[in-house]
Amino acid sequence: MAAPQNKVIVTCAVTGAIHTPTMSPYLPITADEIAKASIAAAQAGAAIVHLHARKPENGQPSQDPELFRAFLPAIAAQSDVVINLTTGGAPNMLVEERLQPALQLKPEVASLNMGSMNFGLYPMLERYKEFQHAWERPYLEGSEDRVFRNTFKEIRYILESCADNGTRFEIECYDTSHLYTAAHFIDRGILKPPFFIQTVFGLLGGIGTHPDDVMHMRRTAERLFGQDYYWSVLGAGRSQIPIASMAAAMGGNVRVGLEDSLWDGPGKLATDNAQQVKRIVSVLESLNLQVATPDEARAMLQLKGRQAVSF
């Protein structure tokens, strides 16, 4: 599974809460906006959409399952895209709160961060001077002294709580230590193959964006997981397309979207998620690679199927 492949899974992270406050007018906030953005991303070539929810009145991150229920049925009715729900939520949430959407709604895929880490968003204050909502500046300022918490016990709690759901986890690894944590839970028999390993580059507190960093994560994953995994990459900010292109050329899968980057070039805000999906699809096609359909992604990752979710 880790060998180079012609079918590439494109994930689109539609409206993040960990990485991005609402500092772009194009970031989907309301249920209708999230549904339309997800459907458009699927039409542009995304096999998977990774979803957070936000309070519609001010864009603040929320893990209230009712907010997810407000947009998930519309996406499922108008697209066959694989839906991936966050268990990350935001760094100021307790694990029980973060878990609820995946636990109650039983998606085909859910994201899971493989460890606690510093999550420094405060350098964004150098680039953004105006904010739409009162909570955003303090949220960024507070990240200088904020840790995203996922202890071994909390990771086990999430995995075991969802064990009967048939949900496959997108294993998010922000550094090599997270790859070893994933291997630990594999050795304990709590994670089952095939493993969907999402390596994340460019977040302050995690590994950097140098090509050597990408290769090091790839080599470590190869050594730890052999033929039992699919490798995907997420590059934050301006590194999104370069890192995705590099990884695709090495047989990897890719993630783009406004959660990870608000930009579509130097100084130019991306106007929607579909725009970023189309851009990476054009790169993949230029590399003579084929974009996986949702059903092809389901087959590759051995997902339970859209009929087995609870929304």
Side-chain angles (χ1 to χ4, degrees):
M1 296 173 190
Q5 59 198 39
N6 287 326
K7 295 287 186 178
V8 178
I9 299 171
V10 176
T11 297
C12 182
V14 173
T15 178
I18 291 181
H19 304 176
T20 49
T22 58
M23 294 175 296
S24 168
Y26 304 112
L27 195 70
I29 299 299
T30 67
D32 184 60
E33 290 169 347
I34 294 171
K36 287 180 177 177
S38 300
I39 294 163
Q43 292 171 341
I48 301 174
V49 289
H50 170 65
L51 301 175
H52 291 247
R54 293 174 180 264
K55 297 177 182 178
E57 64 272 17
N58 63 6
Q60 198 164 14
S62 175
Q63 287 294 91
D64 182 353
E66 293 306 311
L67 290 178
F68 287 83
R69 288 189 175 99
F71 55 75
L72 290 177
I75 299 170
Q78 299 179 58
S79 170
D80 67 345
V81 72
V82 175
I83 290 175
N84 170 348
L85 299 185
T86 180
T87 68
N92 55 347
M93 298 177 182
L94 297 176
V95 65
E96 292 82 5
E97 179 184 3
R98 293 190 280 111
L99 176 62
Q100 290 310 306
L103 183 64
Q104 296 185 32
L105 301 170
K106 301 177 174 61
E108 293 184 75
V109 180
S111 65
L112 179 57
N113 292 41
M114 278 289 115
S116 304
M117 61 179 290
N118 292 328
F119 222 107
L121 301 176
Y122 61 93
M124 297 172 74
L125 291 164
E126 300 172 4
R127 301 194 298 274
Y128 296 95
K129 305 302 180 184
E130 297 182 4
F131 299 89
Q132 297 182 47
H133 303 290
W135 64 270
E136 295 175 302
R137 181 180 291 279
Y139 179 79
L140 292 181
E141 290 173 340
S143 70
E144 188 176 12
D145 191 33
R146 183 183 300 132
V147 172
F148 177 85
R149 176 186 166 113
N150 241 15
T151 65
F152 293 110
K153 183 177 180 180
E154 288 169 334
I155 294 169
R156 177 173 59 81
Y157 169 73
I158 291 172
L159 290 170
E160 292 181 344
S161 296
C162 293
D164 295 333
N165 288 359
T167 297
R168 175 79 62 193
F169 283 92
E170 173 202 17
I171 304 300
E172 294 196 354
C173 299
Y174 291 73
D175 214 331
T176 49
S177 61
H178 292 177
L179 295 171
Y180 282 95
T181 297
H184 165 72
F185 284 103
I186 291 166
D187 291 343
R188 294 179 66 181
I190 301 174
L191 275 173
K192 306 292 185 182
F195 313 114
F196 187 32
I197 304 292
Q198 185 77 255
T199 51
V200 184
F201 302 90
L203 268 296
L204 184 59
I207 200 166
T209 59
H210 193 279
D212 286 349
D213 296 324
V214 180
M215 289 300 300
H216 180 54
M217 291 287 273
R218 170 66 156 167
R219 286 192 299 266
T220 304
E222 288 276 294
R223 177 163 44 80
L224 292 175
F225 311 125
Q227 296 298 304
D228 288 335
Y229 84 110
Y230 286 94
W231 178 49
S232 185
V233 299
L234 178 176
R238 63 184 179 182
S239 300
Q240 182 179 88
I241 299 299
I243 283 182
S245 303
M246 186 190 322
M250 294 189 290
N253 303 281
V254 299
R255 172 171 143 174
V256 297
L258 293 181
E259 172 173 348
D260 308 325
S261 175
L262 298 174
W263 304 99
D264 188 46
K268 180 183 177 184
L269 286 171
T271 57
D272 58 35
N273 285 277
Q275 183 180 33
Q276 294 188 350
V277 175
K278 290 175 183 175
R279 183 173 291 276
I280 195 59
V281 165
S282 70
V283 171
L284 297 175
E285 290 175 343
S286 72
L287 293 171
N288 293 320
L289 298 169
Q290 297 178 357
V291 177
T293 67
D295 281 343
E296 288 170 336
R298 288 184 175 98
M300 293 163 68
L301 299 176
Q302 298 180 24
L303 303 182
K304 64 180 181 178
R306 59 185 298 183
Q307 75 286 347
V309 301
S310 294
F311 52 84

